[in-house]
Amino acid sequence: MNDGELDCERTFDPLPTPAGPWNQPVWLVERPVRFATAGDLDCAVSGCTRPAGTAPGDLPKAEDVLCVAHRRRRIKSTPAPSVPDFISLQATASPIRLARGAMTRKKFHKPIDFTFVHSRLAEELRYVTSIQINRNRWREPAWVVTLLRAALQIGHDRQLVHVADFSDALDDVDLSWTDRASTRFVGLGGLRNLRLALPGMRKILANATADPWEALSWHAVDLNVNSPMSASRPVIHWSTVTCGWLFDGLRRLAREDIQSGAKAWGTVHTYTRAGSVLSAFMDEQAGPLQPEEITRSVLLELVSWLRDNETTRQDLEAVNILARQLERLRDDGVVPDLPDTVFLRRGDNPLKKTRNPKPFPSDLLAGIDQLINDPSVWPDDMQLMMRVFRATGPRASELLEIPPGCVVHAEGRGYSLEYYMSKVDDWRRIPIPRALGEDLAKHQAALLARHPDSPYLFPNFGKAPRLRSLTYSRTHYWPWSYSSFSATVWAIYRKAGVVSSSITGERLTGAQLHRFRHTIATGLLNEGWSQHQVQKFLGHSSPTMMQSYADIHEDTLRDQYTDWVNNSIGIDGKPSPPLSDAEIDVERLRDTMVRATLPNGYCTLPEKQKCSYLPSPCLSCFFFKTTPTFLPIHIRQRDDSLRELDVAKSDGRDRAVEAHTQTVERLDTIIDGLQKLMEDAPNEGVA
């Protein structure tokens, strides 16, 4: 049965078309203006009297001081200069002359008259248009207008009743340049658009249902899921669940979880994978199974079958999800015939969760910091957002949808960022640097002054917000999507050459915004913060993840201590012997690394032992260690001792001569040892 037959055999009427401007008899689509100004300012170019200002619906930008004509001239320049440079250049450039004749630009596109065709065809076109626009598939107004006008014109000329009839009608139309006369009413562009869009239009009509919850594919926008990112949520496909009773049961649980808000859309999405693995096991291995036949042994066989077939980790995780959902189906009475048993016990399907935080290498981090401090490379408010990522390490979903009012200033305590974390169901309150807090507060005040109804601190108006006139007004606010934000950041990284580390050899594959969180965590631990303090700073609900950061911290501590030992000498001028595994034990390091810094080296005496030589260490002390960093100090100390030795000899003070002679000998030994150490490892020279 093809899609056209499904269209004709639909048993419900009318189609459930969502509310929107397409339901009007004649739909006037606003023609977006490329540039628009409020007219509150005068153009900053000397001698220009045209108005300038901020376009309605936009955030203030640097080019708002220019009129429309000079903005167009600046964009056409190659490369486009900065606004101040452009203004200074225009002082001596030729003036822009007034346009000849009257302005004939119309406010709307040519009208879309649905009364022009059969009522059934008009209904189907309205339904398809509403679904494609709400799913964010059809975005460009001019494209939609040309497509619909072509469909209406051809539908009228050929007396078509259904969208499926366009297949035969378009086969008779030649889209070559020689047949332009026959397409004068709709245009070649409209015919091409219609031919390209027709398969998707027919598929939507074939899958149309009176109740969207009964569809085989769930789209968040079709189900009116209240989410700012509904259009970008993954589609939940139920066609992979071929077991009838499991199909009905899981769909009922999924609908309850979505409507009640108990589970997120992404969590419900895993129900289909859970049902599909059991369905595949029945189809390929066990045969059809009734609810009373689903026991713990069946699920163990399913786990064994999946492991033998080298399936993915996600499939094995789906078995654990399936076990939990089977218990819900039984306990809630959805499938009461399921046996009263534990379908999987702890350890039956072990899946070790590996956490591998990866902080940015130091050279990559330095390049990123340099980019973040350069406002010229970031569009709109992205620099401020990147500063927040770098300073506080939020999750990307938290920052992209963070609401206004999250920047709080307390007298005497500075600025802080306070927002709700849906992942852990808790609030995060974190102090931020003063400069960042002041800039965030200014941005927040400017946003609320122009857009008091905005639910986002960083709304994404895009490059041309007036293009979104198909369904939404100019005051409709959109958050940044992760894909578009990270793609923009990654493009800036690549343009600046910040793509690889010369220290580790790693090459970035994207913006990897979450690594700012890893970098901050390991940095704080290396600065001496406790795991509990870092956990509270980042807003983790449990210390599990902190142990992964602590492992990196201990590796850093071990490497630092080993590097220090390998580049230090004792009073005998010889390098320290290599450390054994027992000596590199982290707990031992914590005690050993507590050392006093001396004017000419370090004292490695354990903290619990007392030393009578401090604060004037004796050069014969076994616990004394020094590195090439202190070589100039030792040379200066030897010169001073030589002068004291000459004075003692001239005065005839034998005991002083003996003491200064020993000091010079010790210093010569240490200096020779440090110089040899530097020759053997030239890259470890004086810091």
Side-chain angles (χ1 to χ4, degrees), residues 213-218 236-255 271-272 275-276 278-279 282 329 334-335:
W213 291 102
E214 297 300 324
L216 285 177
S217 298
W218 285 2
I236 299 179
H237 297 287
W238 291 101
S239 57
T240 57
V241 185
T242 58
C243 176
W245 62 266
L246 187 62
F247 174 86
D248 296 334
L250 289 178
R251 275 162 56 98
R252 179 173 170 180
L253 292 182
R255 179 172 181 175
Y271 294 1
T272 57
S276 65
L278 182 57
S279 298
M282 294 181 187
L329 291 173
V334 179
V335 185

Side-chain angles (χ1 to χ4, degrees), residues 67-79:
C67 64
V68 171
H70 278 102
R71 261 191 275 183
R72 290 180 183 273
R73 174 179 280 189
R74 175 175 171 269
I75 288 179
K76 292 179 180 179
S77 304
T78 305

Side-chain angles (χ1 to χ4, degrees), residues 579-594:
L579 297 172
S580 63
D581 294 338
E583 292 175 317
I584 308 181
D585 179 71
V586 173
E587 293 302 323
R588 180 181 177 88
L589 297 185
R590 297 187 193 281
D591 180 65
T592 307
M593 289 290 283
V594 180

